[in-house]
């Protein structure tokens, strides 16, 4: 009886069998716990197993069944715990993903938390899967942005760091963080663009200066950084701080070299002009170095022509300067004598009498002695020429009036000859022309006293201003004017005397005619010798004397082709001080 109770407790199927229900399904052919117990009972009956043994074995069997159920329950509990943990992990992962992606809510998350654990897991799984995909896409975007950031940083720092060495912080994959990285990337790209423009600006400056200096541009920029030699890919050029610093240093160095070369070329151009002017070089020969002299007043920024400051061009100018410098010594005498001739011509036009022979001998002696620098000698002669021109200019007004005075004296001489001509009123050919000239001559002669007075006043003023005598071809002008005044007075006295004599002869003739009734032949004047009043008529200055024989009365100094030797400079030409007020005095 006890064994039956045990069997019933072991299995619900066994209980059904004990109740008379057939637990074996012949159609299915399955073996159940109840059928096995029945077989075991039959065996025990056949064996004659005692109830004690049966109860013992059934208790053992019951214990084994309990152990099996316990294990199953434990396994089920563990499985439930695993599912609960998985559900908790899923919920935690869901919240972590939402926090990482910066999402406060998500459309795929189930609002209800009821139902079995597996149902809840099944409900969360799609949302997790979608969030994982979103996270992977977000990670790719972060990786792309960070890769570009790292690349640009490497270009700026010049370290060229390899991409992939960075890690993405998965705790913050929000759109805000991604936007921050994008903003940072844009700033770096802007900085990169500015640096690239700066690099290209430096490279262009180096290219232009190298062209002007005739330097290899590619070798210069390659020395700074090899990437700068690439003329096609501007993005590959180095933009690091070191590259920019070296480019700036190179630009400064090239600008300094350009400045030094230009200064050297300008010095050479100035030396060339000095030598050319010294040796009176022809324009054709000077034009060969126009490319050098055209930059004599140019600034550094104005010289941009390729090859304008190349070394070979500077060397050519140096060679030309050396050649002209060597040639200068041999041509110095010719140059100095030419300058002396120019000075003598100025003195001659200004009617300043100087010792030309002594001056020339002095110049040649200075050159042969070698005690004076040729350029200094020519510079001093140029200064003397300038001073002579100034002196001639100060004398010009007086000299012009002297010329008018001398012309008037010539006309006065001609008029005297004309008045002595008894046939002046004849109808001969050209008589009417002489008559017109005589009329003009009388008007001009009437102005001589006023002209002489003006000359005297101006000459005295000039002598007071300059502190020395105004000489005309070595003769003091005031003495010439005083002599002219005396001669003119003597001539007037002579005319008055001749008028009185003529009047006396006429009266005598009248008396004789009344007494004897006949008219004697006209008496000749007591003196038929012509005495003309004019500048230098007493012989003080042969250049200013008038024609005493009545042959036109022209002054010698008005003859442009006179045979008198040209005046020369003072004896000690170079040693004369520029402040000497008596430089041009005879």
């Amino acid at each position: 009886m006890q064994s039956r109770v045990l069997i019933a407790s072991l299995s619900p199927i066994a209980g059904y069998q004990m109740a008379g229900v057939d637990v074996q399904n012949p159609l299915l052919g399955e073996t159940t716990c109840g059928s096995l117990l029945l077989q075991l009972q039959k065996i025990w009956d056949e064996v004659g197993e005692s109830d004690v043994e049966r109860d013992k074995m059934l208790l053992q069997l019951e214990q084994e069944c309990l152990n099996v159920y316990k294990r199953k329950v434990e396994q089920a509990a563990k499985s439930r715990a695993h599912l609960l943990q998985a559900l908790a992990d899923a919920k935690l992962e869901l919240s972590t993903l939402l926090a990482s992606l910066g999402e406060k809510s998500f459309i795929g998350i189930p609002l209800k938390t009821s139902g079995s654990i597996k149902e809840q897991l099944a409900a969360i799984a799609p949302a997790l899967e979608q969030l994982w995909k979103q996270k992977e896409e977000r990670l790719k975007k972060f990786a792309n942005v960070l890769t570009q950031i790292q690349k640009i940083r490497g270009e700026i720092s010049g370290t060229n760091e390899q991409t992939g060495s960075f890690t993405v912080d998965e705790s913050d994959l929000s759109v805000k963080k991604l936007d921050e990285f994008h903003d940072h990337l844009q700033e770096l790209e802007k900085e990169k663009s500015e640096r690239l423009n700066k690099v290209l600006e430096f490279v262009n400056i180096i290219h232009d200066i190298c062209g002007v200096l005739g330097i290899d541009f590619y070798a210069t920029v390659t020395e700074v950084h090899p990437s700068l030699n690439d003329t096609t890919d501007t993005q590959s050029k180095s933009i690091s701080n070191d590259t920019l610093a070296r480019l700036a240093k190179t630009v400064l160095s090239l600008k300094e070299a350009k400045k030094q070369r230009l200064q050297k070329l300008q010095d050479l151009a100035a030396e060339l002009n000095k030598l050319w002017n010294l040796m009176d070089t022809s324009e054709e020969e000077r034009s060969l170095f126009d490319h050098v002299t055209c930059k004599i007043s140019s600034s550094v920024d104005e010289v941009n022509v390729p090859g304008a400051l190349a070394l070979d061009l500077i060397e050519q100018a140096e060679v030309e300067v050396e050649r002209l410098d060597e040639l200068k010594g041999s041509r110095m005498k010719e140059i100095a004598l030419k300058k002396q001739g120019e000075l003598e011509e100025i003195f001659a036009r200004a009617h300043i009498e100087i010792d030309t022979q002594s001056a020339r001998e002095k110049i040649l002696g200075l050159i042969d002695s070698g005690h004076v620098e040729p350029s200094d000698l020519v510079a001093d002669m140029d200064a003397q020429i300038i001073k002579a021109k100034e002196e001639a200019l100060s004398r010009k007004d007086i000299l012009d009036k002297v010329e008018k005075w001398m012309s008037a004296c010539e006309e006065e001489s001609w008029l005297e000859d004309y008045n002595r001509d008894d046939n002046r009123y004849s109808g001969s050919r050209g008589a009417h022309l002489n008559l017109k000239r005589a009329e003009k001559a009388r008007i001009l002669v009437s102005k001589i006293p006023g002209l002489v007075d003006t000359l005297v006043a101006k000459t005295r003023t000039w002598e007071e201003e300059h502190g020395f005598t105004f000489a005309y071809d070595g003769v003091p002008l005031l003495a010439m004017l005083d002599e002219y005044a005396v001669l003119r007075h003597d001539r007037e006295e002579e005319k008055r005397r001749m008028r009185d004599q003529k009047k006396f002869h006429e009266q005598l003739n009248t008396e004789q005619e009344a007494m004897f009734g006949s008219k004697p032949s006209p008496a000749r004047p007591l003196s038929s010798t012509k005495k003309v009043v004019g500048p230098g008529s007493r012989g003080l200055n042969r250049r200013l004397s008038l024609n005493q024989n009545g042959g036109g009365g022209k002054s010698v100094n008005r003859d442009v082709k006179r045979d008198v030797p040209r005046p020369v400079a003072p004896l000690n030409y170079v040693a004369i001080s520029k402040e000497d007020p008596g430089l041009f005095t005879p």
Side-chain angles (χ1 to χ4, degrees):
M1 179 60 116
Q2 186 178 0
S3 61
R4 288 179 179 271
V5 175
L6 289 171
I7 292 172
S9 65
L10 290 173
S11 173
I13 299 176
Y16 295 152
Q17 188 176 13
M18 293 300 294
V21 180
D22 187 4
V23 296
Q24 184 176 9
N25 189 348
L27 296 175
L28 299 174
E30 295 179 354
T31 301
T32 64
C33 292
S35 63
L36 292 175
L37 285 175
L38 290 175
Q39 291 179 16
L40 184 60
Q41 188 175 4
K42 288 179 181 180
I43 294 172
W44 283 343
D45 289 342
E46 291 179 1
V47 173
E49 199 67 59
S50 64
D51 291 337
V52 176
E53 289 296 330
R54 289 185 181 189
D55 292 338
K56 184 179 180 181
M57 293 178 68
L58 288 174
L59 287 173
Q60 184 180 358
L61 183 60
E62 182 181 7
Q63 187 63 40
E64 291 178 1
C65 287
L66 287 174
N67 291 336
V68 171
Y69 275 110
K70 186 182 288 185
R71 287 195 302 272
K72 292 297 182 181
V73 170
E74 290 177 355
Q75 290 178 0
K78 288 181 179 181
S79 178
R80 182 186 64 181
H82 290 160
L83 289 175
L84 288 173
Q85 185 63 42
L87 180 60
D89 292 342
K91 290 181 178 180
L92 179 61
E93 186 177 2
L94 184 64
S95 62
T96 303
L97 287 173
L98 290 174
S100 175
L101 296 173
E103 303 288 346
K104 295 182 179 180
S105 62
F106 189 71
I107 300 176
I109 299 176
L111 299 176
K112 295 181 180 181
T113 57
S114 60
S116 64
I117 299 173
K118 290 184 177 180
E119 289 176 351
Q120 293 183 37
L121 282 173
I124 293 176
L128 284 174
E129 184 178 358
Q130 191 171 357
L131 287 174
W132 270 111
K133 290 181 179 179
Q134 187 174 347
K135 180 179 180 180
E136 291 177 358
E137 293 176 357
R138 192 70 57 83
L139 281 172
K140 291 180 180 179
K141 293 180 180 179
F142 271 85
N144 184 29
V145 173
L146 291 174
T147 300
Q148 296 182 56
I149 290 175
Q150 186 186 39
K151 180 181 178 182
I152 297 177
R153 283 177 176 173
E155 292 175 354
I156 293 175
S157 63
T159 56
N160 294 325
E161 296 178 357
Q162 297 296 327
T163 59
S165 60
F166 63 90
T167 57
V168 180
D169 183 11
E170 297 186 9
S171 63
D172 190 0
L173 299 177
S174 62
V175 176
K176 181 180 178 181
K177 189 68 174 179
L178 184 61
D179 291 340
E180 291 178 0
F181 281 124
H182 275 296
D183 293 341
H184 185 50
L185 177 61
Q186 289 180 356
E187 292 177 359
L188 290 175
E189 288 177 343
K190 182 180 179 181
E191 182 179 356
K192 176 182 177 180
S193 177
E194 291 174 353
R195 285 172 172 263
L196 183 60
N197 291 334
K198 191 66 176 177
V199 167
L200 294 177
E201 180 182 351
F202 278 135
V203 170
N204 289 334
I205 293 174
I206 292 174
H207 179 271
D208 294 340
I209 299 179
C210 285
V212 174
L213 299 180
I215 299 175
D216 188 352
F217 162 71
Y218 293 106
T220 304
V221 295
T222 303
E223 186 178 353
V224 176
H225 196 278
S227 65
L228 302 178
N229 198 359
D230 187 3
T231 59
T232 58
D233 187 6
T234 57
Q235 296 297 326
S236 65
K237 297 187 183 300
S238 175
I239 57 173
S240 65
N241 293 330
D242 180 65
T243 300
L244 286 172
R246 296 181 68 181
L247 281 173
K249 184 178 179 181
T250 302
V251 168
L252 289 176
S253 176
L254 289 174
K255 285 185 176 180
E256 183 63 25
K258 180 181 179 182
K259 181 180 179 181
Q260 292 177 359
R261 289 196 187 183
L262 178 60
Q263 183 62 46
K264 187 172 184 179
L265 194 67
Q266 288 177 340
D267 293 342
L268 290 171
E271 189 67 22
L272 282 174
N273 281 330
K274 181 180 178 181
L275 291 171
W276 287 339
N277 295 333
L278 188 66
M279 294 185 288
D280 197 18
T281 306
S282 65
E283 291 296 330
E284 182 180 359
E285 188 175 350
R286 295 187 184 194
S287 64
L288 298 176
F289 289 88
D290 285 343
H291 57 288
V292 175
T293 56
C294 68
K295 304 178 187 66
I296 194 168
S297 60
S298 300
S299 64
V300 176
D301 296 332
E302 292 174 346
V303 180
N304 297 314
V305 179
L309 299 177
L311 285 177
D312 56 348
L313 187 146
I314 296 177
E315 290 174 357
Q316 291 176 4
E318 288 177 339
V319 171
E320 180 64 12
V321 168
E322 292 176 359
R323 186 185 72 83
L324 292 176
D325 196 53
E326 293 176 358
L327 185 63
K328 177 180 67 176
S330 61
R331 293 189 58 186
M332 201 59 240
K333 290 183 179 180
E334 176 185 349
I335 296 167
L337 291 177
K338 183 177 180 181
K339 294 286 183 182
Q340 176 63 22
E342 183 179 353
L343 183 65
E344 292 170 1
E345 182 65 24
I346 295 172
F347 286 145
R349 288 197 300 268
H351 294 278
I352 299 174
E353 193 173 62
I354 54 177
D355 190 348
T356 59
Q357 186 64 29
S358 298
R360 289 175 177 267
E361 291 175 357
K362 181 67 176 179
I363 291 173
L364 296 177
L366 287 172
I367 296 175
D368 292 336
S369 67
H371 294 159
V372 61
E373 177 66 26
S375 58
D376 293 339
L377 175 62
V378 173
D380 188 66
M381 294 184 73
D382 288 335
Q384 294 289 349
I385 289 173
I386 293 174
K387 194 169 183 179
K389 288 181 179 179
E390 293 175 354
E391 181 71 13
L393 184 63
S394 70
R395 296 165 59 93
K396 184 176 184 305
D397 187 29
I398 295 176
L399 292 176
D400 290 343
K401 286 181 169 48
V402 169
E403 291 293 326
K404 292 181 180 179
W405 171 53
M406 292 166 60
S407 296
C409 290
E410 291 175 3
E411 290 298 306
E412 185 180 29
S413 176
W414 178 86
L415 186 61
E416 290 291 331
D417 293 339
Y418 178 75
N419 289 333
R420 291 187 180 91
D421 186 6
D422 294 335
N423 297 324
R424 61 183 180 275
Y425 298 119
S426 65
S428 61
R429 184 177 181 179
H432 66 289
L433 297 177
N434 290 332
L435 183 62
K436 289 182 178 180
R437 179 179 176 181
E439 293 175 356
K440 293 180 180 180
R442 290 187 184 94
I443 296 173
L444 185 61
V445 169
S446 66
K447 296 179 180 180
I448 290 179
L451 183 60
V452 170
D453 292 340
T454 302
L455 261 176
V456 170
K458 285 185 174 293
T459 304
R460 287 175 179 172
T461 302
W462 187 96
E463 290 181 349
E464 291 176 358
E465 291 177 352
H466 292 77
F468 55 91
T469 304
F470 187 101
Y472 188 93
D473 288 338
V475 180
L477 181 58
L478 288 178
M480 293 171 58
L481 294 172
D482 291 342
E483 179 187 9
Y484 174 77
V486 172
L487 291 177
R488 188 175 183 83
H489 180 269
D490 292 345
R491 188 192 65 176
E492 294 296 331
E493 289 294 327
E494 178 70 16
K495 285 183 177 180
R496 184 184 60 79
R497 186 182 63 78
M498 291 183 67
R499 284 197 301 272
D500 292 344
Q501 187 181 27
K502 182 178 180 182
K503 185 177 180 181
F504 172 76
H505 282 292
E506 288 178 352
Q507 185 177 1
L508 181 63
N509 290 336
T510 302
E511 292 177 354
Q512 290 180 356
E513 186 176 326
M515 292 176 62
F516 301 105
S518 62
K519 186 177 179 180
S521 61
R524 291 174 61 97
L526 295 177
S527 176
S528 62
T529 303
K530 182 184 69 172
K531 187 173 184 180
V532 181
V533 179
S537 57
R538 290 187 179 180
L540 291 179
N541 188 350
R542 64 179 178 277
R543 296 178 185 175
L544 299 178
S545 62
L546 300 176
N547 190 344
Q548 299 295 325
N549 297 322
K554 286 193 176 181
S555 170
V556 177
N557 75 302
R558 294 184 60 84
D559 186 0
V560 180
K561 296 182 180 180
R562 62 180 181 271
D563 296 330
V564 180
R566 290 183 177 272
V568 296
L571 291 178
N572 190 3
Y573 181 84
V574 178
I576 291 177
S577 172
K578 295 180 180 179
E579 286 76 17
D580 187 2
L583 173 65
F584 301 108
T585 57

